[in-house]
Amino acid sequence: MTEQRWERQGGRVADEGDDAEREALAWADLVATARRTVADGLVVGTSGNVSVRVGDLVLVTPSGVPYDRLRPQDLTAVDLDGRQVRGSLVPTSELPMHLAVYGTTDARAVVHTHAVHATAVSTLVPELPLVHYMAAALGGPVRVAPYATYGTQELAESMLRALTGRTGCLLQNHGTIAYGATLDQAYDRTAQLEWMCRLWLTASSVPGLAPSLLTEEQLAEVGERLRGYGQRG
């Protein structure tokens, strides 16, 4: 009998384990990613949230629970309409944002943080200036979604507009959100976004000088090169 297992490198599903095992392994990877956001200073306390899609389920961090206290039996999941189908802990209040991403993109994982430099930039400009070519890894110039109250459909809709053609955006006076084909990719995009925001703030703080910025044409060229980046096979 074929089984299915969750390959931890990149979170791919292969034929070796049943659905329960698949979900359990995906949950372990989700918890590890959530803890990484704290360790790397992208969130404080229980702020931010992480989700991963497994089939027609969305596994998501629960509301108000410190990530270091999450256990295997705390697995929390909803269906694509937001109905809770696993666990007893209440899902994150930002569930509307996560579901909006899954409903409109091919995302398999979403990471939302309150990263300090990115949040600072979100209060200053409507779009992160093109201070580094890694903006191409997120699809182009990173936009700022206008402010809306956390956990609302209004915020989810504002976010989707900012995400058009992008895999990450800033949320005004709030934080960041990024998605990817895997938890690793979603996290990497989040970390890159925070780094670019820190870079711009640092360069902009030098009195009497302004950072040089890339053009849209230069960014497009990088985007083409990134298509072949990394190992093959």
Side-chain angles (χ1 to χ4, degrees), residues 167-199:
T167 55
C169 73
L170 302 177
L171 307 170
Q172 191 176 61
N173 296 87
H174 188 155
T176 72
I177 193 159
Y179 70 86
T182 66
L183 281 164
D184 285 346
Q185 187 178 63
Y187 184 87
D188 182 65
R189 287 169 172 167
T190 300
Q192 290 284 357
L193 179 52
E194 167 68 355
W195 180 84
M196 285 190 291
C197 288
R198 183 178 182 182
L199 174 64

Side-chain angles (χ1 to χ4, degrees), residues 20-196:
E21 179 187 9
R22 207 170 85 160
E23 292 170 16
L25 291 173
W27 177 252
D29 286 343
L30 179 149
V31 170
T33 300
R35 289 174 178 169
R36 189 178 175 191
T37 64
V38 177
D40 290 351
L42 298 177
V43 303
V44 175
T46 61
S47 64
N49 27 79
V50 178
S51 69
V52 62
R53 182 172 174 177
V54 181
D56 290 331
L57 295 185
V58 175
L59 278 57
V60 63
T61 47
S63 178
V65 180
Y67 300 141
D68 60 358
R69 296 183 191 173
L70 289 175
R71 306 163 298 170
Q73 58 267 41
D74 293 326
L75 187 153
T76 304
V78 300
D79 63 20
L80 294 173
D81 293 320
R83 291 184 291 265
Q84 187 161 356
V85 293
R86 299 282 190 278
S88 58
L89 295 176
V90 176
T92 173
S93 57
E94 297 291 13
L95 187 59
M97 280 205 302
H98 291 259
L99 294 178
V101 173
Y102 291 119
T104 57
T105 74
D106 59 357
R108 307 301 292 186
V110 176
V111 175
H112 165 52
T113 78
H114 291 179
V116 64
H117 298 95
T119 305
V121 169
S122 81
T123 70
L124 298 171
V125 291
E127 181 178 278
L128 175 64
L130 285 176
V131 71
H132 197 274
Y133 64 78
M134 281 307 290
L138 281 80
V142 179
R143 307 182 188 100
V144 178
Y147 180 80
T149 305
Y150 82 92
T152 62
Q153 194 60 39
E154 181 185 1
L155 176 59
E157 292 170 0
S158 179
M159 171 208 68
L160 283 181
R161 288 190 291 272
L163 278 178
T164 303
R166 306 288 184 268
T167 55
C169 73
L170 302 177
L171 307 170
Q172 191 176 61
N173 296 87
H174 188 155
T176 72
I177 193 159
Y179 70 86
T182 66
L183 281 164
D184 285 346
Q185 187 178 63
Y187 184 87
D188 182 65
R189 287 169 172 167
T190 300
Q192 290 284 357
L193 179 52
E194 167 68 355
W195 180 84
M196 285 190 291

